[in-house]
Amino acid sequence: MNSSSGPESTNQPDLILKLCNHVAKNKPVLSANLCKIAFSFLSSSVAVAPNVPSDEQYIIVQIRQILSAQSKENAEHFELLYSNICKTSVLQNRCSVLSFLLKLAKMSQKEVKWNTVESLEKFPSTIRPKSHLALKSGNSQESIRSIFQGHCHNSVKSVQSSSTNIQSSCLTAPSSTADLSLITERDLLQDIIYSFQGIEGRFLRKEVGNLGFTVDPKAGKNLTPIQRGLVERLTGMSFLHNQLKQYCDNNDEQGGVICLALVATLREELSAYYKTIALLQTALKKQVCIDQPQMTLRKSLVYIHEHRVRFEWLAYIAEQCNDKKGGALVTAVHGFLQHGSKCAQEVSEKVLTAVCKPLYIMLWRWLLDGEINDSCNEFFIEARDITAAERLWHDKYHVRKSMVPSFITMDQAKKILATGKSINFLRQICKDSGQLPGRDALQKLSRSTSAEALFAPEQSLEFDATLEKVYRETSLRVLDLLKNKYRLFEHLQSLRRYLLLGQGDFIRHLLELLVPELNKPAQEIYNHTLSAILESAIRVTNAQFEDEDTLQRLTVSFMGHSQGDTGWDVFSLVYIVDGPVGTIFQPTMTTYQCLFGALWKAKRMEFVLANMRKQQITMAKKFRKIKELQPVMHIIHILTSEMIHFLHQTQYYFLFEVLECSWAEMLRQVNHAECLDDIIGAHTIFLNSVQCGVLLDESSRQLFSQLRSIYNFILNLEGHQEALNEAATREYETYLEFTTNVESSVNFGITTDEEIKAKARVENFHQFINSIRTKVKHLSQTYKQFVKKYLILLSTSSNMNLQLLSVRLSFNDYYKII
């Protein structure tokens, strides 16, 4: 050290003295020893450092060699510390610091090693490092100043003369200093207070993961088993603190409002905990300068005991809530409310009250205004981006089961959903701006109760009763508008009459008018032609007395067709439903089209068989003189009777046992409905029941395919009878003409050629009759086989009604299916 004139040089001894006093904690003997060592080092030749290697890696290699020779643990600990130093920007000259530490390590290998500063008191000056300087007895401040000034003027000899006095004073120091612990409890407690806040100290180091703390291996050798046990119990609090703080830091920005409510509660607990730490730190400082009871490790355990118990449950709650949000997070917290520990119940109730507040606000906003303000998708009611008015009730809102809190039942969740949906339905679809029923009671309850009303049993009863009342009143308001203003029952009746063929006279007349058109290929039929026929059928039947709005909704449509399809395959009636009632009917229009197609086919078969019976009566009277027709007509007559019986029983089952019974049940449910969902459910059940009854459900595919084949046999028989009627008519007319010619020839009669032609014509007619007879016999046999298979399928069905239908179709065991 070079001397210099000025205030800095005169103040250096004072600064060194203050530093030594601070390090020695105002112990005179220890402070004097430290001052001696400091000036010894400053005045020695070692203080002048040789050239410091500039290569940091070279220094690191040397340090690794020294530590590896000591133990593997020391080398690993150095690697961890060095990686931390490389990450920090505090050190400006890392290479020089590492070089200095390396030189200290090399010096310690040659001289006496001290674990702590206090250990200097345990050794006499004779074994301490040699020095060119010594301290004078008496005033330590004056001696240090004189030594420093003497060193600056090269007056070393006068200083050395007093070394004997200093050595003797050290040897005659009180013997109690040799009994002091290597690590005082106060220093250890200070480190523990730091660890309570997540800060490393002199003896405590952070574990991997930066949550827990562990005692430095070197310092741990000087701890008694009791001290080590107390430290481990106290550092457990540090782990809990770090765990809660980490959860708060991780969820401060990315969590939703419910998660933020949990974070706020945890931070509130941490704030109270920090106050306790401040009191602990204050008590530790007071015992130094004031006569206060000594703060010990055991007393600190008492200080933080209450926080430790609460933090254990809070950390467990935070762990269970990790990666959860919204209602799922609330459910996780609610589970701790059922724990047997009183502390767990208190902590979980406080946390649950906090996290339920945002949920409580969302819930009341939904029940009062039908609005969802949930940017983080935490509410158990989800709103989708649906623009179609008819799909608002079905698709726009639904319950997310994973977000329903455990203290809200699914029945309550569905009522909450229906209440909010009803509000939006009234406002957006029905355009109803009137005062909603039950709002006053709901608003009063929302102001008088807190979030505990959701989960506290004694308060949830009032909430449940109010919810039930609001749900019923809002739902009744919706039903009242649908039934009265928007004519729900009138639309149901119209669908029943026209799409389900309930208006018999209209359907019969429409069928008669459509036969010529629908017999054409599908590509030759035009929509305006069928619309004109529909209007004609309306004008001459009881349908003309329907409301004008209903008649305007009824129209015709074509389904997609392929090559070879006729008008019968693509024709369909359509009933257009819009507005609020469209919510009920619009999603089911496809089902109505399928039902219309199945019933329309059966009605057409009935119409065909009725016309065939009329034609058979006409042919029997007209061709009674043609004896050759009687056998084939007898077969056709018998087969037609079988088909009529089959079709009558099938239609009776479809139209009465299925349709009428299901219709009556649906009307009963609609009249007793409490909400729109009940009406939609009753209507859906009705359609499903009819679908199952007319064999259009998934389990009746084979039955319906067999029934369509039987329908085709009816059409084939109609074709054979039509061909036979045309041939018989031509033969009969030709026969009458031939007879007239014979009778008109007075003298000559008929020629031989005419006679031969007549015989050939009769022979061809007989051959045609025989071919028709053969075809009809084959058709009759095949028809019976298909009917038998159909009856077997009916009898083996799980549906009792279909089994009874099988009995009616073969009531006298005509087909012998068993």
Side-chain angles (χ1 to χ4, degrees), residues 387-407:
T387 56
E390 293 80 7
R391 302 304 306 176
L392 180 141
W393 187 272
H394 301 278
D395 300 333
K396 189 173 181 62
Y397 304 103
H398 72 100
V399 175
R400 287 185 293 196
K401 294 183 179 179
S402 62
M403 289 296 176
V404 178
S406 54
F407 46 79

Side-chain angles (χ1 to χ4, degrees), residues 724-752:
L724 183 63
N725 181 50
E726 291 178 1
T729 300
R730 287 196 304 270
E731 177 62 26
Y732 181 71
E733 290 176 354
T734 305
Y735 172 76
L736 291 179
E737 183 181 356
F738 177 76
T739 304
T740 303
N741 290 337
V742 171
E743 292 176 354
S744 62
S745 302
V746 180
N747 299 321
F748 304 102
I750 60 173
T751 63
T752 304

Side-chain angles (χ1 to χ4, degrees), residues 8 11-20:
E8 292 185 0
N11 290 334
Q12 284 176 354
D14 293 337
L15 293 176
I16 295 174
L17 179 60
K18 288 182 180 180
L19 177 62
C20 292

